[in-house]
Amino acid sequence: MRSPTGEEVFSAYEGVQAIGCGTNSDAETPLSGDLVEWADVILVMEKTHKNKVSKKYKDLLKGKRLVCLDIPDIYDCMQPELVKLLKARVPKYVQL
């Protein structure tokens, strides 16, 4: 529920287009090459996600930032603690 929360929170910012994706094929919105090409910055929640994305989309990541936010999978969608963490960490990588 981390990515859908991030999408909901940051899509509310003017000038920001956020799409929450998953690295597994069973995700509601799985990450694809098209989305990697579309994105300016790709934020992942765990180091394993970063490794998976780096391997699978190596050629498409040239010139893009791929950042791990180190947010564990222990939160519900829109849980206040998760929203607070995202709002604290994302602005280091995305101009809001």
Side-chain angles (χ1 to χ4, degrees), residues 8-77:
E8 187 170 337
V9 169
F10 296 107
S11 289
Y13 286 77
E14 189 173 328
V16 174
Q17 294 179 342
I19 297 176
C21 305
T23 57
N24 292 332
S25 58
D26 64 347
E28 188 172 322
T29 304
L31 183 63
S32 67
D34 288 344
L35 289 171
V36 170
E37 288 179 324
W38 170 82
D40 295 322
V41 178
I42 299 163
L43 304 172
V44 297
M45 302 296 172
E46 301 175 19
K47 288 181 178 109
T48 56
H49 300 151
K50 186 174 181 178
N51 293 338
K52 195 180 230 183
V53 173
S54 293
K55 265 187 183 176
K56 188 170 183 177
Y57 299 105
K58 182 180 178 182
D59 294 336
L60 297 177
L61 289 168
K62 291 181 178 141
K64 299 189 181 278
R65 290 189 74 188
L66 174 60
V67 177
C68 179
L69 297 175
D70 287 315
I71 298 177
D73 191 11
I74 58 171
Y75 300 100
D76 292 325
C77 191

